Amino acid sequence: MEYKELADKAIKAKSVSHPPYSNFHVGAALLTEEGKVYLGGNIETSSYSLTICAERTAVFKAYSEGERKFKAIAIASDAPEFCPPCGSCRQVMLDLCGDIDVVMVNHKMELKTMKLSQLLPYPFGDKELK
Ligand code: THU
């Protein structure tokens, strides 16, 4: 799948987000190695810190369906500029998805693609636990 198409799906995923407190919609589309796509939106609760980001929604949905191999994740938001994933999502994605491509899309429909390892250099991980 072209990353442009994946980015379109991330934009559409904003409509399944639930951010009644921040009113900031984020959508994510996670692409498996086999070409399946899992969508996620950010979901907020009244106890703000229990909020889950769009990226982690998509990752946990995919994992709970048995997926383990991933290629890329696209991220779209209400911000006009590229929306980089937060630090918590970077750690979760690296642990659960590996060094995937992170495709950010802005309101001009331009794409910015970075390796997750560029976004989270010198990470904590499995190797420290051995
Ligand atoms: N948010 C995401 O969904 N992904 C990110 O990587 C950054 C932040 C959400 C969390 C919260 O619902 C809203 O954006 C404002 O922080």
Side-chain angles (χ1 to χ4, degrees):
M1 176 182 295
E2 296 281 328
Y3 284 170
K4 167 88 175 52
E5 194 184 336
L6 192 66
D8 278 333
K9 290 181 188 297
I11 292 167
K12 292 204 177 75
K14 281 169 54 177
S15 65
V16 297
S17 67
H18 178 69
Y21 305 103
S22 72
N23 204 31
F24 184 72
H25 301 78
V26 184
L30 177 65
L31 179 65
T32 70
E33 274 190 0
E34 287 178 343
K36 212 166 159 191
V37 176
Y38 289 84
L39 302 181
N42 54 322
I43 301 171
E44 297 181 351
T45 75
S46 61
S47 183
Y48 302 155
S49 64
L50 301 181
T51 288
I52 184 162
C53 292
E55 298 90 324
R56 275 176 288 156
T57 303
V59 170
F60 293 145
K61 275 175 71 178
Y63 248 73
S64 62
E65 293 298 322
E67 302 288 356
R68 294 293 182 269
K69 291 192 176 223
F70 304 94
K71 188 168 170 9
I73 189 165
I75 305 164
S77 82
D78 282 343
E81 300 304 327
F82 299 115
C83 181
C86 79
S88 300
C89 288
R90 293 178 197 204
Q91 181 72 46
V92 168
M93 291 191 290
L94 196 63
D95 280 338
L96 298 182
C97 304
D99 191 14
I100 57 175
D101 288 332
V102 177
V103 182
M104 293 157 274
V105 56
N106 66 12
H107 283 195
K108 290 183 191 157
M109 278 309 295
E110 295 163 329
L111 304 188
K112 183 185 187 72
T113 302
M114 295 178 75
K115 280 281 175 199
L116 187 51
S117 55
Q118 284 179 275
L119 291 167
L120 190 64
Y122 196 50
F124 177 82
D126 279 348
K127 61 189 184 310
E128 277 67 46
L129 299 174
K130 287 185 177 127

